[in-house]
Coordinates of all heavy atoms in Angstrom, one line a residue:
M1 N 47.5 110.2 -50.5 CA 48.3 110.3 -49.3 C 49.8 110.5 -49.5 O 50.4 111.1 -48.7 CB 48.2 109.0 -48.5 CG 46.8 108.9 -47.8 SD 47.1 109.3 -46.2 CE 45.7 108.6 -45.4
P2 N 50.3 110.1 -50.6 CA 51.8 110.4 -50.8 C 52.1 111.9 -50.8 O 53.2 112.3 -50.4 CB 52.1 109.8 -52.2 CG 50.9 109.1 -52.6 CD 49.8 109.4 -51.7
D3 N 51.1 112.7 -51.3 CA 51.4 114.1 -51.3 C 51.5 114.7 -49.9 O 52.3 115.6 -49.6 CB 50.3 114.9 -52.0 CG 50.2 114.6 -53.5 OD1 51.3 114.2 -54.0 OD2 49.1 114.7 -54.1
M4 N 50.7 114.1 -49.0 CA 50.7 114.7 -47.6 C 52.0 114.3 -46.9 O 52.6 115.1 -46.2 CB 49.5 114.1 -46.8 CG 49.3 114.8 -45.5 SD 47.6 114.4 -44.9 CE 46.9 116.0 -45.0
S5 N 52.5 113.1 -47.1 CA 53.7 112.7 -46.4 C 54.9 113.5 -47.0 O 55.9 113.9 -46.3 CB 54.0 111.2 -46.6 OG 54.1 110.9 -47.9
A6 N 54.8 113.8 -48.3 CA 55.9 114.6 -48.9 C 55.9 116.0 -48.4 O 56.9 116.6 -48.1 CB 55.7 114.6 -50.5
S7 N 54.7 116.6 -48.3 CA 54.7 117.9 -47.7 C 55.1 118.0 -46.3 O 55.7 118.9 -45.8 CB 53.3 118.6 -48.0 OG 52.3 117.8 -47.2
A8 N 54.7 116.9 -45.5 CA 55.1 116.9 -44.1 C 56.6 116.7 -44.0 O 57.3 117.3 -43.1 CB 54.4 115.8 -43.4
S9 N 57.1 115.9 -44.9 CA 58.6 115.7 -44.9 C 59.3 117.0 -45.2 O 60.3 117.4 -44.6 CB 58.9 114.6 -45.9 OG 60.3 114.5 -46.0
L10 N 58.8 117.8 -46.2 CA 59.3 119.0 -46.6 C 59.3 120.1 -45.5 O 60.2 120.8 -45.2 CB 58.6 119.5 -47.9 CG 59.2 120.8 -48.5 CD1 60.6 120.6 -48.9 CD2 58.3 121.3 -49.6
A11 N 58.1 120.1 -44.8 CA 58.0 121.0 -43.7 C 58.9 120.7 -42.5 O 59.5 121.5 -41.9 CB 56.5 121.0 -43.2
M12 N 59.1 119.4 -42.3 CA 60.0 119.0 -41.2 C 61.5 119.3 -41.6 O 62.2 119.7 -40.7 CB 59.9 117.5 -40.9 CG 58.6 117.1 -40.2 SD 58.5 117.9 -38.7 CE 59.8 117.1 -37.7
T13 N 61.8 119.3 -42.8 CA 63.1 119.6 -43.3 C 63.4 121.1 -43.1 O 64.5 121.5 -42.6 CB 63.3 119.3 -44.8 OG1 63.0 117.9 -45.0 CG2 64.7 119.6 -45.3
H14 N 62.4 121.9 -43.3 CA 62.5 123.4 -43.1 C 62.6 123.7 -41.6 O 63.4 124.5 -41.2 CB 61.4 124.2 -43.8 CG 61.5 124.2 -45.2 ND1 62.5 124.8 -45.9 CD2 60.6 123.7 -46.2 CE1 62.3 124.8 -47.2 NE2 61.2 124.0 -47.4
L15 N 61.8 123.0 -40.8 CA 61.8 123.2 -39.4 C 63.2 122.8 -38.7 O 63.7 123.5 -37.9 CB 60.7 122.5 -38.7 CG 59.3 123.1 -38.9 CD1 58.2 122.3 -38.3 CD2 59.2 124.5 -38.3
V16 N 63.7 121.7 -39.2 CA 65.0 121.2 -38.7 C 66.1 122.2 -39.0 O 66.9 122.5 -38.2 CB 65.3 119.8 -39.2 CG1 66.7 119.4 -38.9 CG2 64.3 118.8 -38.6
S17 N 66.0 122.7 -40.3 CA 67.1 123.6 -40.6 C 66.9 124.9 -39.9 O 67.9 125.6 -39.5 CB 67.1 123.9 -42.1 OG 65.8 124.5 -42.5
F18 N 65.7 125.3 -39.5 CA 65.5 126.5 -38.7 C 66.0 126.3 -37.3 O 66.6 127.2 -36.7 CB 64.0 126.9 -38.7 CG 63.7 128.1 -37.9 CD1 64.1 129.4 -38.2 CD2 63.0 127.9 -36.7 CE1 63.8 130.5 -37.4 CE2 62.8 129.0 -35.9 CZ 63.2 130.3 -36.2
A19 N 65.7 125.1 -36.8 CA 66.2 124.8 -35.4 C 67.7 124.8 -35.3 O 68.2 125.2 -34.3 CB 65.7 123.5 -35.0
K20 N 68.4 124.4 -36.4 CA 69.8 124.5 -36.3 C 70.4 125.9 -36.4 O 71.4 126.2 -35.9 CB 70.4 123.7 -37.5 CG 70.2 122.2 -37.4 CD 70.8 121.4 -38.6 CE 70.5 120.0 -38.4 NZ 71.0 119.2 -39.6
E21 N 69.6 126.8 -37.0 CA 70.0 128.2 -37.1 C 69.9 128.9 -35.8 O 70.6 129.9 -35.6 CB 69.3 128.9 -38.2 CG 69.6 128.5 -39.6 CD 68.7 129.1 -40.6 OE1 67.9 130.1 -40.3 OE2 68.7 128.7 -41.8
V22 N 69.0 128.5 -34.9 CA 68.8 129.2 -33.6 C 70.0 128.9 -32.8 O 70.5 127.8 -32.6 CB 67.5 128.6 -33.0 CG1 67.4 129.2 -31.6 CG2 66.3 128.9 -33.8
D23 N 70.5 130.0 -32.2 CA 71.7 129.9 -31.3 C 71.3 129.4 -30.0 O 70.4 130.0 -29.3 CB 72.3 131.3 -31.2 CG 73.6 131.3 -30.4 OD1 74.2 130.2 -30.2 OD2 74.1 132.3 -30.0
E24 N 71.9 128.3 -29.5 CA 71.5 127.7 -28.3 C 72.0 128.5 -27.1 O 71.4 128.4 -26.0 CB 72.0 126.3 -28.2 CG 71.4 125.3 -29.2 CD 72.0 123.9 -29.2 OE1 72.8 123.7 -28.3 OE2 71.6 123.1 -30.0
D25 N 72.9 129.4 -27.2 CA 73.4 130.2 -26.1 C 72.6 131.5 -26.0 O 72.8 132.2 -25.0 CB 74.9 130.6 -26.4 CG 75.8 129.3 -26.3 OD1 75.4 128.4 -25.6 OD2 76.8 129.3 -27.1
K26 N 71.7 131.7 -26.9 CA 70.9 133.0 -26.8 C 69.7 132.8 -25.9 O 69.0 131.8 -26.0 CB 70.4 133.3 -28.2 CG 69.7 134.6 -28.3 CD 69.4 134.9 -29.8 CE 68.6 136.3 -29.9 NZ 68.3 136.5 -31.3
V27 N 69.5 133.8 -25.0 CA 68.4 133.7 -24.1 C 67.3 134.5 -24.6 O 67.4 135.6 -25.0 CB 68.8 134.2 -22.7 CG1 67.7 134.2 -21.7 CG2 70.0 133.5 -22.1
T28 N 66.1 133.9 -24.7 CA 64.9 134.6 -25.2 C 63.8 134.5 -24.1 O 63.9 133.7 -23.2 CB 64.4 133.9 -26.4 OG1 64.0 132.5 -26.1 CG2 65.4 133.9 -27.6
P29 N 62.9 135.5 -24.1 CA 61.9 135.5 -23.1 C 60.9 134.2 -23.1 O 60.4 133.8 -22.1 CB 61.1 136.8 -23.4 CG 61.4 137.2 -24.7 CD 62.7 136.6 -25.1
G30 N 60.7 133.7 -24.3 CA 59.9 132.5 -24.4 C 58.4 132.8 -24.2 O 57.9 133.9 -24.2
V31 N 57.7 131.7 -23.9 CA 56.3 131.7 -23.7 C 55.9 132.5 -22.4 O 55.0 133.3 -22.3 CB 55.7 130.3 -23.7 CG1 54.2 130.4 -23.4 CG2 55.9 129.7 -25.0
L32 N 56.7 132.2 -21.3 CA 56.4 132.9 -20.0 C 56.6 134.4 -20.1 O 55.7 135.1 -19.6 CB 57.4 132.3 -19.0 CG 57.2 132.9 -17.6 CD1 55.8 132.6 -17.0 CD2 58.3 132.5 -16.6
G33 N 57.6 134.9 -20.9 CA 57.7 136.3 -21.1 C 56.5 136.9 -21.8 O 56.1 138.0 -21.5
F34 N 56.0 136.2 -22.8 CA 54.9 136.6 -23.6 C 53.6 136.7 -22.7 O 52.9 137.6 -22.7 CB 54.6 135.7 -24.8 CG 53.4 136.1 -25.5 CD1 53.3 137.2 -26.3 CD2 52.2 135.3 -25.4 CE1 52.1 137.6 -27.0 CE2 51.0 135.7 -26.0 CZ 51.0 136.8 -26.8
I35 N 53.5 135.7 -21.9 CA 52.3 135.6 -21.0 C 52.3 136.8 -20.0 O 51.3 137.4 -19.7 CB 52.2 134.3 -20.3 CG1 51.8 133.2 -21.3 CG2 51.2 134.3 -19.1 CD1 51.9 131.8 -20.7
V36 N 53.5 137.0 -19.4 CA 53.6 138.2 -18.5 C 53.4 139.5 -19.2 O 52.7 140.3 -18.7 CB 55.1 138.1 -17.8 CG1 55.3 139.4 -17.0 CG2 55.2 136.9 -16.9
F37 N 53.9 139.7 -20.4 CA 53.7 140.9 -21.1 C 52.2 141.1 -21.5 O 51.7 142.2 -21.3 CB 54.6 140.9 -22.4 CG 54.4 142.1 -23.2 CD1 55.0 143.3 -22.8 CD2 53.6 142.2 -24.3 CE1 54.9 144.5 -23.6 CE2 53.5 143.3 -25.1 CZ 54.1 144.5 -24.7
A38 N 51.6 140.0 -21.9 CA 50.2 140.1 -22.2 C 49.3 140.4 -21.0 O 48.4 141.2 -21.1 CB 49.7 138.8 -22.9
A39 N 49.7 139.8 -19.8 CA 48.9 140.1 -18.6 C 49.1 141.6 -18.2 O 48.1 142.2 -17.8 CB 49.4 139.2 -17.5
M40 N 50.3 142.1 -18.4 CA 50.5 143.5 -18.0 C 49.8 144.4 -19.0 O 49.2 145.4 -18.6 CB 52.0 143.8 -18.1 CG 52.8 143.2 -16.9 SD 54.6 143.4 -17.0 CE 54.7 145.2 -17.0
A41 N 49.8 144.1 -20.2 CA 49.0 144.9 -21.2 C 47.5 144.8 -20.9 O 46.8 145.9 -21.0 CB 49.3 144.3 -22.6
L42 N 47.0 143.7 -20.6 CA 45.6 143.6 -20.2 C 45.3 144.4 -18.9 O 44.2 145.1 -18.8 CB 45.1 142.2 -20.0 CG 45.0 141.4 -21.3 CD1 44.7 139.9 -20.9 CD2 43.8 141.9 -22.1
A43 N 46.2 144.4 -18.0 CA 46.0 145.2 -16.7 C 46.0 146.7 -17.0 O 45.2 147.4 -16.5 CB 47.1 144.8 -15.7
V44 N 46.9 147.1 -17.9 CA 46.9 148.6 -18.2 C 45.7 148.9 -18.9 O 45.1 150.0 -18.7 CB 48.2 148.9 -19.1 CG1 48.1 150.2 -19.7 CG2 49.4 148.7 -18.2
W45 N 45.2 148.1 -19.9 CA 43.9 148.4 -20.6 C 42.8 148.5 -19.6 O 42.0 149.4 -19.7 CB 43.7 147.3 -21.6 CG 42.4 147.5 -22.3 CD1 42.2 148.3 -23.4 CD2 41.2 146.7 -22.1 NE1 40.9 148.2 -23.8 CE2 40.3 147.2 -23.0 CE3 40.9 145.7 -21.2 CZ2 39.0 146.7 -23.0 CZ3 39.6 145.3 -21.2 CH2 38.6 145.7 -22.1
A46 N 42.7 147.5 -18.6 CA 41.6 147.6 -17.7 C 41.7 148.8 -16.8 O 40.6 149.4 -16.5 CB 41.6 146.3 -16.8
L47 N 42.9 149.2 -16.4 CA 43.0 150.4 -15.6 C 42.6 151.6 -16.3 O 42.0 152.6 -15.8 CB 44.4 150.5 -15.0 CG 44.8 149.5 -13.9 CD1 46.3 149.6 -13.6 CD2 44.0 149.8 -12.6
M48 N 43.0 151.7 -17.6 CA 42.6 152.9 -18.4 C 41.1 152.9 -18.6 O 40.5 154.0 -18.6 CB 43.4 152.9 -19.8 CG 44.9 153.0 -19.7 SD 45.3 154.7 -19.1 CE 45.0 155.6 -20.5
K49 N 40.5 151.8 -18.8 CA 39.1 151.8 -19.0 C 38.4 152.2 -17.7 O 37.4 153.0 -17.7 CB 38.7 150.4 -19.5 CG 37.2 150.3 -19.8 CD 36.9 149.0 -20.5 CE 35.4 148.9 -20.8 NZ 35.1 148.6 -22.1
S50 N 38.8 151.7 -16.6 CA 38.3 152.1 -15.3 C 38.5 153.6 -15.0 O 37.5 154.3 -14.6 CB 38.9 151.3 -14.2 OG 38.5 151.7 -12.9
M51 N 39.6 154.1 -15.3 CA 39.9 155.5 -15.1 C 39.0 156.4 -16.0 O 38.4 157.4 -15.5 CB 41.4 155.9 -15.4 CG 41.7 157.3 -15.1 SD 43.3 157.8 -15.7 CE 43.1 157.7 -17.5
S52 N 38.8 156.0 -17.2 CA 37.9 156.7 -18.1 C 36.5 156.7 -17.6 O 35.8 157.7 -17.6 CB 38.0 156.1 -19.5 OG 37.1 156.7 -20.3
R53 N 36.0 155.6 -17.1 CA 34.7 155.5 -16.5 C 34.5 156.4 -15.3 O 33.6 157.1 -15.1 CB 34.4 154.0 -16.1 CG 32.9 153.7 -15.9 CD 32.6 152.3 -15.7 NE 33.5 151.3 -16.5 CZ 34.1 150.3 -15.9 NH1 34.0 150.1 -14.7 NH2 34.8 149.5 -16.7
H54 N 35.5 156.4 -14.5 CA 35.5 157.3 -13.3 C 35.6 158.7 -13.6 O 34.9 159.6 -13.0 CB 36.6 156.9 -12.3 CG 36.3 155.7 -11.5 ND1 35.5 155.6 -10.4 CD2 36.7 154.4 -11.7 CE1 35.5 154.4 -9.9 NE2 36.2 153.6 -10.7
M55 N 36.3 159.1 -14.6 CA 36.5 160.5 -15.0 C 35.2 161.0 -15.7 O 34.8 162.1 -15.5 CB 37.6 160.7 -16.0 CG 39.0 160.5 -15.4 SD 39.3 161.6 -14.0 CE 39.6 163.1 -15.0
N56 N 34.5 160.1 -16.3 CA 33.1 160.5 -16.9 C 32.1 160.7 -15.8 O 31.1 161.4 -16.0 CB 32.7 159.4 -17.9 CG 33.4 159.4 -19.1 OD1 34.0 160.4 -19.5 ND2 33.5 158.3 -19.8
R57 N 32.3 160.1 -14.6 CA 31.3 160.3 -13.6 C 31.5 161.6 -12.8 O 30.7 162.1 -12.1 CB 31.4 159.2 -12.6 CG 30.9 157.9 -13.1 CD 31.0 156.8 -12.1 NE 30.6 155.5 -12.7 CZ 30.8 154.4 -12.1 NH1 31.4 154.3 -10.9 NH2 30.5 153.2 -12.7
V58 N 32.7 162.2 -12.9 CA 33.1 163.4 -12.2 C 32.3 164.6 -12.8 O 32.2 164.8 -14.0 CB 34.6 163.7 -12.2 CG1 34.9 165.0 -11.6 CG2 35.3 162.6 -11.5
D59 N 31.7 165.4 -11.9 CA 31.0 166.6 -12.3 C 31.9 167.8 -12.2 O 32.3 168.2 -11.1 CB 29.7 166.8 -11.4 CG 28.9 168.0 -11.9 OD1 29.0 168.4 -13.1 OD2 28.1 168.5 -11.0
F60 N 32.2 168.4 -13.4 CA 33.2 169.5 -13.4 C 32.6 170.8 -13.4 O 33.3 171.8 -13.4 CB 34.0 169.4 -14.7 CG 35.1 168.3 -14.7 CD1 34.9 167.2 -15.4 CD2 36.2 168.4 -13.8 CE1 35.9 166.1 -15.4 CE2 37.1 167.4 -13.7 CZ 36.9 166.3 -14.5
T61 N 31.2 170.9 -13.3 CA 30.6 172.2 -13.2 C 30.8 172.8 -11.8 O 30.6 172.1 -10.8 CB 29.1 172.2 -13.5 OG1 28.5 171.2 -12.6 CG2 28.9 171.7 -14.9
Q62 N 31.2 174.1 -11.8 CA 31.5 174.7 -10.5 C 30.3 175.5 -10.1 O 29.7 176.2 -10.8 CB 32.7 175.6 -10.6 CG 34.0 174.9 -10.8 CD 35.2 175.9 -10.9 OE1 35.0 177.1 -10.9 NE2 36.4 175.3 -10.8
V63 N 30.0 175.4 -8.8 CA 28.9 176.2 -8.2 C 29.5 177.5 -7.8 O 30.5 177.5 -7.1 CB 28.3 175.4 -7.0 CG1 27.2 176.3 -6.4 CG2 27.7 174.1 -7.4
P64 N 28.9 178.6 -8.2 CA 29.5 179.9 -7.9 C 29.4 180.1 -6.4 O 28.4 179.8 -5.8 CB 28.7 180.9 -8.7 CG 27.5 180.2 -9.2 CD 27.8 178.7 -9.2
D65 N 30.4 180.7 -5.8 CA 30.4 181.1 -4.4 C 29.5 182.2 -4.2 O 29.6 183.3 -4.8 CB 31.8 181.4 -4.0 CG 32.0 181.5 -2.5 OD1 31.1 181.1 -1.8 OD2 33.0 182.0 -2.1
P66 N 28.5 182.1 -3.2 CA 27.6 183.2 -3.0 C 28.2 184.5 -2.5 O 27.8 185.6 -2.8 CB 26.6 182.7 -2.0 CG 27.1 181.4 -1.5 CD 28.2 181.0 -2.4
K67 N 29.3 184.3 -1.8 CA 30.1 185.5 -1.3 C 30.8 186.2 -2.5 O 31.0 187.4 -2.4 CB 31.1 185.1 -0.3 CG 30.4 184.5 1.0 CD 31.5 184.1 2.0 CE 30.9 183.4 3.2 NZ 31.9 182.9 4.1
A68 N 31.2 185.5 -3.4 CA 31.9 186.1 -4.6 C 31.0 186.7 -5.6 O 31.4 187.5 -6.4 CB 32.7 185.0 -5.3
E69 N 29.7 186.4 -5.5 CA 28.7 187.0 -6.5 C 28.5 188.5 -6.3 O 28.4 189.3 -7.1 CB 27.4 186.3 -6.4 CG 27.4 184.9 -7.0 CD 26.0 184.3 -6.9 OE1 25.0 185.0 -6.6 OE2 25.9 183.1 -7.2
Q70 N 28.6 188.9 -5.0 CA 28.3 190.3 -4.7 C 29.7 190.9 -4.3 O 30.1 190.8 -3.2 CB 27.3 190.5 -3.5 CG 26.0 189.8 -3.8 CD 25.1 189.8 -2.5 OE1 25.6 190.1 -1.5 NE2 23.9 189.3 -2.7
P71 N 30.3 191.7 -5.3 CA 31.5 192.3 -5.0 C 31.3 193.4 -4.0 O 30.4 194.2 -4.1 CB 32.0 192.8 -6.3 CG 30.8 192.9 -7.2 CD 29.9 191.9 -6.6
E72 N 32.2 193.5 -3.0 CA 32.1 194.6 -2.0 C 32.7 195.9 -2.6 O 33.5 195.9 -3.5 CB 33.0 194.2 -0.8 CG 32.5 193.0 -0.1 CD 33.3 192.6 1.1 OE1 34.1 193.5 1.6 OE2 33.2 191.5 1.6
P73 N 32.1 197.0 -2.2 CA 32.6 198.3 -2.7 C 34.1 198.5 -2.4 O 34.6 197.9 -1.4 CB 31.7 199.3 -2.0 CG 30.9 198.6 -1.1 CD 31.1 197.2 -1.2
A74 N 34.7 199.3 -3.1 CA 36.2 199.6 -3.0 C 36.5 200.2 -1.6 O 37.5 200.0 -1.0 CB 36.7 200.5 -4.1
D75 N 35.5 201.1 -1.1 CA 35.8 201.7 0.2 C 35.1 201.0 1.3 O 34.5 201.6 2.2 CB 35.3 203.2 0.1 CG 33.9 203.3 -0.3 OD1 33.3 202.3 -0.7 OD2 33.3 204.4 -0.1
A76 N 35.1 199.7 1.3 CA 34.4 198.9 2.4 C 35.1 199.1 3.7 O 34.4 199.1 4.7 CB 34.4 197.4 2.0
E77 N 36.4 199.3 3.7 CA 37.1 199.4 5.0 C 36.7 200.8 5.6 O 36.4 200.9 6.8 CB 38.6 199.4 4.8 CG 39.0 198.0 4.4 CD 40.6 198.0 4.1 OE1 41.2 198.9 4.4 OE2 41.0 196.9 3.6
T78 N 36.6 201.8 4.9 CA 36.2 203.1 5.4 C 34.8 203.2 5.9 O 34.5 203.8 6.9 CB 36.5 204.3 4.4 OG1 35.7 204.0 3.2 CG2 38.0 204.3 4.0
S79 N 33.9 202.6 5.1 CA 32.5 202.6 5.6 C 32.3 201.8 6.8 O 31.5 202.1 7.7 CB 31.5 202.1 4.4 OG 31.8 200.7 4.2
G80 N 33.1 200.6 7.0 CA 33.0 199.8 8.2 C 33.5 200.6 9.4 O 32.9 200.5 10.5
Q81 N 34.5 201.3 9.2 CA 35.1 202.1 10.3 C 34.2 203.2 10.8 O 34.0 203.5 11.9 CB 36.5 202.7 10.0 CG 37.5 201.6 9.8 CD 38.8 202.1 9.4 OE1 38.9 203.3 9.1 NE2 39.9 201.3 9.3
G82 N 33.5 203.8 9.8 CA 32.5 204.9 10.1 C 31.4 204.4 10.9 O 30.9 205.1 11.8
K83 N 30.9 203.2 10.7 CA 29.8 202.6 11.4 C 30.2 202.4 12.9 O 29.4 202.5 13.8 CB 29.3 201.3 10.7 CG 28.6 201.6 9.5 CD 28.1 200.2 8.9 CE 27.5 200.5 7.5 NZ 27.1 199.2 6.9
Q84 N 31.4 201.9 13.1 CA 31.9 201.6 14.4 C 32.0 202.9 15.2 O 31.7 202.9 16.4 CB 33.2 200.9 14.3 CG 33.1 199.5 13.8 CD 34.5 198.8 13.7 OE1 35.5 199.5 13.9 NE2 34.5 197.6 13.3
Q85 N 32.4 204.0 14.6 CA 32.6 205.2 15.3 C 31.2 205.8 15.7 O 31.1 206.5 16.7 CB 33.4 206.2 14.5 CG 34.8 205.8 14.4 CD 35.6 206.7 13.4 OE1 35.0 207.6 12.8 NE2 36.9 206.4 13.3
Q86 N 30.2 205.6 14.9 CA 28.9 206.2 15.2 C 28.2 205.5 16.3 O 27.4 206.1 17.0 CB 28.0 206.2 13.9 CG 28.5 207.1 12.8 CD 27.7 206.9 11.6 OE1 26.8 206.1 11.5 NE2 28.0 207.8 10.6
S87 N 28.5 204.3 16.6 CA 27.8 203.6 17.6 C 28.0 204.1 19.0 O 28.7 204.7 19.6 CB 28.2 202.1 17.7 OG 27.9 201.5 16.5

């Protein structure tokens, strides 16, 4: 047991000296800042995963337009006018 108390005493000595080096006037985010940052990171991860899932469900194949399949002749206007005059 003497070894354990000696190591605990040594650890406390290092922690006390570290605590003295910390500037008391310095503002740090602390535990609350870490929790908020971690929550935001998890929210972004969940949103990206959801977006990826939704993007995989989208069907990107285009159905060809039936009107666009049959190109009209270049002189469609003149043939249409000729039909109207013959009636």
